[in-house]
Amino acid sequence: MTLLEYMRRRNKMTLSEWEDSFEKKEKEIIVLRHEGGGGSLRNGFWEWDAYFLTYVDCETGELHKEEGRIEFPVIDKEEPPFQFDEESIYKLRVREKLPEEVPEGALPAKNHFLVVEILERNAVCPELEEMLIEYRKPVVLQDDILGDLTYDKLLKSFEGSIDWLGGKVHLSLSVGKDNKSGITKAKKLLKTMVLEQEKWDADLRSFAAKELTEFACEWAESEEEAALITEESFAKRISLSLLWVTSGASFSACFDDDELFFGHSIAVSGSLKKGMISAKIEG
């Protein structure tokens, strides 16, 4: 079975088929809900997920220090049967997801539970309460060049800003807070760009203009407007707003388009090793 076939099969599941993918036996767990979640449309219902950071099995008392999700069906046009606040502890009656074979490219379900009943909100659990206190503490990277970068738990990235040729540019390190080697690589890339910002700014603008000027002319609302769009004018009009880097030392530099593409952003991507690779419009 291919990944596409697997996804199509999941999307065709009826509510009863979906519920049968969980154990019949019910159990009680206590979960530390952090943030994140969403819905997927199935056959006549929405599969709704809320993520949790860790959970305790009430029968065994075992603490499972792995993220997971609690799931429940939502029928179209009906109110969701459950609401879960962020950064809260819940005691739940649930049914655990049955193991299943998945094709290459799909992750097997782990720590997925169908919610049967909310037994307690703000449940008392010293272990999870201690973890919640620790989780709420801000994680900040301090750097002499990049300044303070604060970890965004939802985005799973470090966020900050930097002075850039007289203006401000947002910084985003898309790397987990515990990935020390990834943080080192991402910071090294950003520092190189910031310390050599005049060269990087000129090169990024020039590359974007070379790749997208012709496209911008096609977007122009008149021939007169198109005639004014040259590589030189394109490069001058756009303005850098975001530098986004990854743990693998690749980057995307995002520019405001000055209405060249009716408000879409322009992203120039590449890496230190390969240089600038692509320029495209986004958003």
Side-chain angles (χ1 to χ4, degrees), residues 193 204 240-244 251-255 266-270:
M193 299 178 83
L204 289 165
L240 185 65
S241 59
L242 165 68
L243 288 173
W244 179 86
F251 68 83
S252 281
C254 297
F255 289 83
I266 296 167
V268 178
S269 301

Side-chain angles (χ1 to χ4, degrees), residues 53-247:
L53 185 66
T54 184
Y55 79 96
V56 172
D57 186 313
C58 293
E59 183 178 351
T60 65
E62 183 179 359
L63 173 65
H64 296 261
K65 295 183 178 181
E66 294 178 311
E67 293 188 23
R69 62 182 64 178
I70 41 182
E71 306 180 352
F72 50 92
V74 177
I75 307 302
D76 194 25
K77 298 182 180 179
E78 292 187 6
E79 288 294 319
F82 305 108
Q83 296 284 350
F84 293 97
D85 296 330
E86 296 181 354
E87 298 187 5
S88 298
I89 298 172
Y90 291 88
K91 184 176 183 180
L92 307 170
R93 180 174 289 113
V94 297
R95 291 164 50 192
E96 189 166 5
K97 185 80 171 179
L98 290 166
E100 63 173 345
E101 289 187 21
V102 298
E104 185 177 353
L107 295 176
K110 189 173 184 180
N111 295 335
H112 290 200
F113 299 94
L114 172 63
V115 180
V116 177
E117 183 183 359
I118 297 177
L119 299 174
E120 290 181 45
R121 296 179 183 272
N122 300 314
V124 176
C125 181
E127 286 180 294
L128 298 191
E129 289 167 16
E130 186 175 333
M131 293 180 71
L132 180 56
I133 291 172
E134 191 65 27
Y135 180 79
R136 284 173 169 165
K137 291 180 181 178
V139 179
V140 181
L141 283 180
Q142 295 179 318
D143 187 89
D144 292 340
I145 296 171
L146 302 178
D148 289 351
L149 302 169
T150 303
Y151 191 68
D152 187 306
K153 299 182 180 83
L154 184 59
L155 297 177
K156 289 184 169 50
S157 64
F158 289 92
E159 306 292 315
S161 63
I162 195 75
D163 290 326
W164 186 275
L165 300 180
K168 284 285 186 182
V169 169
H170 188 85
L171 304 179
S172 182
L173 282 71
S174 183
V175 53
K177 61 183 176 64
D178 299 319
N179 185 350
K180 293 182 179 180
S181 63
I183 290 172
T184 299
K185 291 177 183 177
K187 285 176 61 178
K188 180 180 179 181
L189 169 56
L190 265 184
K191 286 185 185 182
T192 299
M193 299 178 83
V194 170
L195 291 173
E196 301 172 5
Q197 58 187 255
E198 289 189 11
K199 178 182 182 302
W200 274 96
D201 191 83
D203 289 348
L204 289 165
R205 290 172 181 273
S206 177
F207 185 85
K210 181 180 178 181
E211 295 292 309
L212 296 174
T213 295
E214 184 177 344
F215 195 29
C217 291
E218 294 175 7
W219 279 56
E221 295 186 291
S222 67
E223 292 184 6
E224 293 78 10
E225 183 182 339
L228 297 175
I229 303 174
T230 63
E231 288 191 17
E232 183 178 2
S233 69
F234 185 110
K236 289 181 178 178
R237 287 177 63 175
I238 62 177
S239 55
L240 185 65
S241 59
L242 165 68
L243 288 173
W244 179 86
V245 299
T246 71
S247 59

